Amino acid sequence: MAEAREIEVLIVGGGFSTMPLVRELEAGGIRWLMVSMMTPIWQQLEAADAMDFDLVSSLQSSVYSFELVEMLREQGEDFKDGFPTAREYYAIHKKYAARHADNIHQGRVDHIDNHADHSIVHLESGETFRASHVVVATAFRRQMNANLKQIKVGQSYAGKNVAITSTGDSSNLLIAKLVAYGAKVHLVTNGFIILDKMFATFSPFDDGPRFVPLDQLECHNFSEISKWGYRAFIDGGYIHGLIHHWFAKLFDRNSLGVRHPKSIRPHGDIRNFFKARAPIENGHIAIKYWPIDVYKLYCEDTLEQKISDGYLINDLPFFLEHGHVQLWDKSATTIDHDAKLLSEAGHTASFDMIIDGDQEIPNIPQILVHGDGQPAAFTYKAREQFLGVTSPALQNIYTIGFTRPFTGGLNNISEMQCLLVHRMMTDPEFRSKIRSNLDQRIADYNATYYARRPEKKTDHLVWYGTFTDEVAKVLDIRPKRSDTPGFKGLMKYYMFPNNVFRFREKGRYAVEGVGELIEHTAKQYHDYKVLALLVIRYPFFELLALATILLAPVPWWVKIPAAIIHNRLPFTSTLVGKFGLPTRESKAIFNYRKAISFPVLAYPLVAAVVWAAAGMDAAFGFSAALLAYVYAMVHLGTAKGWNRKFFCDMKSKRSPEMVGFFEKYREVLNRVGANSDKSEV
């Protein structure tokens, strides 16, 4: 048997997900080798000519900090956030693959023997490596990957009925193509959470819409001021409306959950969204989509080019509203594959083809842990890994890329994991400190980020900004509030999202040029002034409502339960969500919004003056009148089409303008598809 080749760091799989680690290893002169077949899903999609889509995560959360700095230097003031197309994104992968080709060994790992101070990595070819440290970054196994490669949706699908049995971003991509080409989709589902991935904001600061990706609105550190206020803002009444469905039926009848009840996740699952100690619980799947009204603003002027690039309308709520997609309750639906028939509660529908999916499973090679007795097989479980990278059961074996976001981009998480792995490899004192109480660290994290519920297969999905923050704390690279003085510093600390480059401006893992990147990004979004105005609305609206209850001329034993009920039910969250964003640039709409916001922001001072001058009854009268005025004005604006809800604005999706635009989009997409088919002949 050939002698094992020795290496300091062996990366299994790896590819693009480990480039931040590779960068640090090379900076420190540490020898590394990657064992991979170099056939990532992106290469497979390119080979199948299936890269006609854009990412569901934004550029700044999908590309590494050092790459973003390079982009800024190359593009200057033209550098903007947005959503890269699959082709653009894979081009970055290929650049790094070519750069590090000499360190990539073609092969597939059969199994790994893990010992106290080294690991033996066995390849299917019979080759072996003895490594001081091993990094496993082999991604997931997913049936949907094969579907994306193999299913070529085109004009031949017009008029067909297609059943789909999984719900997620990849499924929604297939749905977008099927509906655009005239197919009817039957989605068999347990319900879903679906979030607009791009917003068009209008303000007096801008001439026209300013396009803002979802992750730029997540302002993760605001939760330090008020966890409840943060939850209400980030939700906009959407999740609370799903949790309290009966409440939504009364107060938000235009919501997705009310109009399409089968879209709601089972209550036992959705109710935990806000039940953890953390602001948002881990373990939830969220579909990110282009809302048709924002897509129209973003793409209409260059529609054919945008479609050719891969920007597609994947507005599932719009498809539901207009009957392009029909929902079937997975728990109650029978699927007869032979007869090609769906049945639920007496309703049936035939289908021409069915597309099955599955849940993603870590594609980790067998790892055998050697100790005093017989070798034990290692099983990866999200709740048994510390920040997704290290397990008490393994010595000097690390995992990267198996923790994924349900908003934001995977590379935000992967880059932070790479930095954590690098420090554990190169700083023995740090590694000893982490491993000395690793079980307790894992238990503390789980107690914070999971509600009291059983484990589930989606536990590896995290709210990305709180995850990157946790890793930054462990690495001691998290900026403190005192590090960002002044008004701009205040905005930067509380409003700037926890994209990974936020933590690489200074300190151990600083990247030259990140300061300029942060400044450029803040400038792009007006130093987050518009976001700050959106954020502070909730506490002032809530204060007005609670003060009205507490000032009411009724006994205290009525006030206290009334205040508790108001706080537990999403009255204010739903109201603020309806107030949402302006639908277009209009001085009249801006003045209308000021007429609501300014009195509410001035309320604490004015109410105090009224109380001091005229007594408590007068203060109650003023509060009640202002509250009634706000409710009436918000509902008036919604009825007039001046307000757009943050998530799933069903009113805009029903408008004749959007229906007409979708038909135009279909015509252009069919033309683009036909031209593409001709070019391949």
Side-chain angles (χ1 to χ4, degrees):
M1 184 176 177
E3 185 177 346
R5 178 179 167 185
E6 294 201 12
I7 191 74
E8 286 186 70
V9 177
L10 186 74
I11 300 172
V12 180
F16 193 57
S17 64
T18 54
M19 286 302 105
L21 173 61
V22 165
R23 184 176 184 271
E24 298 301 323
L25 292 174
E26 292 194 338
I30 297 173
R31 293 188 308 120
W32 65 277
L33 186 73
M34 182 181 295
V35 174
S36 173
M37 293 302 293
M38 292 307 292
T39 55
I41 181 58
W42 296 99
Q43 186 271 339
Q44 297 173 47
L45 290 171
E46 183 182 57
D49 192 26
M51 303 197 82
D52 52 343
F53 61 93
D54 69 317
L55 273 60
V56 295
S57 55
S58 73
L59 178 71
Q60 291 196 0
S61 65
S62 301
V63 175
Y64 296 128
S65 54
F66 44 89
E67 180 68 21
L68 290 170
V69 167
E70 189 174 321
M71 288 180 174
L72 175 59
R73 287 171 177 162
E74 291 174 352
Q75 300 174 29
E77 290 300 313
D78 293 332
F79 175 70
K80 292 182 179 180
D81 200 4
F83 292 90
T85 65
R87 298 182 188 95
E88 291 170 337
Y89 186 59
Y90 186 45
I92 301 172
H93 289 223
K94 290 191 285 188
K95 178 177 75 172
Y96 283 91
R99 181 180 298 176
H100 299 292
D102 291 342
N103 289 76
I104 299 173
H105 183 86
Q106 292 273 338
R108 181 175 283 110
V109 171
D110 180 72
H111 69 279
I112 303 170
D113 289 312
N114 183 224
H115 300 273
D117 61 353
H118 71 280
S119 294
I120 304 296
V121 180
H122 303 264
L123 274 58
E124 290 180 350
S125 64
E127 298 169 276
T128 57
F129 293 87
R130 189 183 195 276
S132 301
H133 304 278
V134 173
V135 177
V136 179
T138 45
F140 292 88
R141 293 193 300 272
R142 297 178 63 216
Q143 173 62 37
M144 194 52 68
N145 287 346
N147 292 333
L148 292 174
K149 291 182 294 181
Q150 296 167 6
I151 299 173
K152 303 292 186 182
V153 180
Q155 294 174 348
S156 62
Y157 279 78
K160 290 187 180 296
N161 283 272
V162 180
I164 299 179
T165 62
S166 70
T167 312
D169 288 319
S170 297
S171 302
N172 199 38
L173 172 58
L174 286 174
I175 291 170
K177 294 179 180 180
L178 289 164
V179 169
Y181 280 109
K184 171 70 176 286
V185 174
H186 300 271
L187 183 58
V188 184
T189 180
N190 287 320
F192 45 83
I193 296 170
I194 186 163
L195 307 173
D196 300 35
K197 74 173 189 177
M198 181 74 101
F199 298 84
T201 63
F202 296 91
S203 76
F205 299 119
D206 293 310
D207 181 16
R210 182 165 294 260
F211 297 101
V212 186
L214 171 61
D215 62 279
Q216 289 291 346
L217 296 174
E218 292 187 22
C219 54
H220 306 97
N221 285 353
F222 178 69
S223 63
E224 295 178 17
I225 298 176
S226 169
K227 182 167 65 175
W228 308 108
Y230 178 76
R231 287 172 171 174
F233 165 72
I234 210 70
D235 169 37
Y238 171 57
I239 300 295
H240 277 111
L242 302 181
I243 297 170
H244 304 284
H245 189 226
W246 63 268
F247 176 90
K249 284 184 175 181
L250 294 174
F251 292 95
D252 194 15
R253 295 190 58 81
N254 204 36
S255 66
L256 173 65
V258 172
R259 296 188 65 81
H260 303 279
K262 291 179 184 177
S263 69
I264 302 175
R265 296 281 295 168
H267 190 260
D269 182 50
I270 195 71
R271 70 181 179 187
N272 291 317
F273 198 87
F274 297 123
K275 283 292 183 71
R277 295 179 190 171
I280 309 293
E281 196 214 19
N282 287 355
H284 296 276
I285 299 173
I287 303 170
K288 284 75 68 181
Y289 77 101
W290 272 105
I292 189 169
D293 57 325
V294 179
Y295 181 96
K296 181 177 184 294
L297 290 168
Y298 191 80
C299 298
E300 187 174 26
D301 289 345
T302 56
L303 185 57
E304 187 163 337
Q305 184 59 52
K306 284 289 197 294
I307 292 173
S308 297
D309 292 341
Y311 292 95
L312 306 179
I313 294 176
N314 59 351
D315 190 336
L316 182 55
F318 175 85
F319 299 156
L320 290 171
E321 195 71 6
H322 296 283
H324 302 302
V325 175
Q326 180 178 345
L327 298 182
W328 297 76
D329 183 353
K330 183 175 283 190
S331 65
T333 298
T334 301
I335 304 175
D336 187 331
H337 288 80
D338 294 328
K340 294 187 176 181
L341 194 70
L342 300 174
S343 304
E344 180 199 345
H347 299 284
T348 62
S350 60
F351 55 85
D352 298 295
M353 70 175 292
I354 188 167
I355 301 173
D356 289 313
D358 58 1
Q359 290 185 309
E360 51 192 17
I361 301 171
N363 192 27
I364 295 176
Q366 184 184 44
I367 300 175
L368 298 175
V369 182
H370 293 258
D372 296 333
Q374 290 291 318
F378 169 76
T379 301
Y380 181 97
K381 292 184 178 180
R383 293 206 202 184
E384 295 177 7
Q385 298 283 115
F386 179 54
L387 296 173
V389 305
T390 186
S391 165
L394 300 176
Q395 298 291 331
N396 300 314
I397 292 184
Y398 306 96
T399 51
I400 291 175
F402 300 105
T403 305
R404 298 172 67 86
F406 53 89
T407 69
L410 172 60
N411 287 328
N412 252 324
I413 291 172
S414 296
E415 183 169 352
M416 292 301 283
Q417 289 184 325
C418 284
L419 300 183
L420 178 56
V421 169
H422 175 262
R423 189 166 180 191
M424 292 192 71
M425 286 179 177
T426 59
D427 187 340
E429 184 179 346
F430 176 80
R431 180 171 65 250
S432 297
K433 177 184 175 183
I434 295 296
R435 293 196 65 87
S436 66
N437 61 345
L438 192 54
D439 288 311
Q440 187 59 51
R441 288 175 181 270
I442 293 171
D444 291 345
Y445 179 87
N446 291 344
T448 301
Y449 286 94
Y450 297 99
R452 294 182 180 179
R453 59 165 175 79
E455 294 183 26
K456 59 182 184 179
K457 292 180 180 179
T458 56
D459 280 342
H460 64 294
L461 299 171
V462 301
W463 189 244
Y464 87 87
T466 51
F467 183 88
T468 56
D469 197 56
E470 288 292 337
V471 180
K473 290 176 186 175
V474 172
L475 290 172
D476 194 25
I477 59 172
R478 184 186 191 273
K480 300 180 178 64
R481 172 66 188 92
S482 57
D483 296 333
T484 56
F487 178 75
K488 281 194 173 182
L490 183 75
M491 291 292 102
K492 178 180 177 181
Y493 184 83
Y494 287 114
M495 295 294 105
F496 205 96
N498 284 341
N499 286 325
V500 65
F501 60 86
R502 178 193 184 121
F503 306 110
R504 304 200 70 177
E505 183 179 10
K506 299 177 182 178
R508 175 187 293 267
Y509 289 109
V511 172
E512 185 180 354
V514 161
E516 290 78 6
L517 175 62
I518 291 175
E519 185 176 336
H520 177 85
T521 302
K523 181 181 177 182
Q524 184 179 347
Y525 298 113
H526 297 304
D527 293 315
Y528 294 93
K529 294 185 184 74
V530 174
L531 175 60
L533 289 172
L534 294 176
V535 169
I536 65 172
R537 288 189 315 202
Y538 173 79
F540 280 88
F541 276 58
E542 186 73 297
L543 175 63
L544 170 60
L546 290 175
T548 302
I549 293 171
L550 296 177
L551 290 170
V554 296
W556 65 266
W557 50 266
V558 174
K559 294 180 182 181
I560 292 177
I564 293 173
I565 291 170
H566 179 275
N567 182 257
R568 294 296 299 270
L569 293 176
F571 285 97
T572 305
S573 180
T574 299
L575 183 68
V576 173
K578 284 184 175 181
F579 193 29
L581 297 166
T583 54
R584 59 188 180 274
E585 184 177 22
S586 164
K587 186 175 181 180
I589 291 178
F590 295 156
N591 288 334
Y592 153 78
R593 297 178 72 82
K594 291 176 184 177
I596 296 174
S597 297
F598 287 0
V600 175
L601 295 176
Y603 168 74
L605 177 61
V606 176
V609 171
V610 171
W611 192 348
M616 184 173 173
D617 288 344
F620 166 72
F622 168 70
S623 298
L626 179 57
L627 185 62
Y629 164 79
V630 167
Y631 266 83
M633 287 288 282
V634 168
H635 285 85
L636 173 65
T638 300
K640 290 288 188 180
W642 301 337
N643 301 328
R644 184 196 187 279
K645 291 176 68 173
F646 284 120
F647 297 118
C648 303
D649 183 64
M650 303 305 290
K651 184 177 178 63
S652 67
K653 299 182 196 307
R654 291 197 301 276
S655 73
E657 181 185 4
M658 294 305 128
V659 173
F661 174 70
F662 185 64
E663 291 309 312
K664 174 184 175 181
Y665 164 84
R666 271 179 157 174
E667 292 174 9
V668 176
L669 182 136
N670 274 267
R671 185 167 65 247
V672 170
N675 292 338
S676 177
D677 291 341
K678 289 178 184 177
S679 66
E680 293 175 5
V681 175

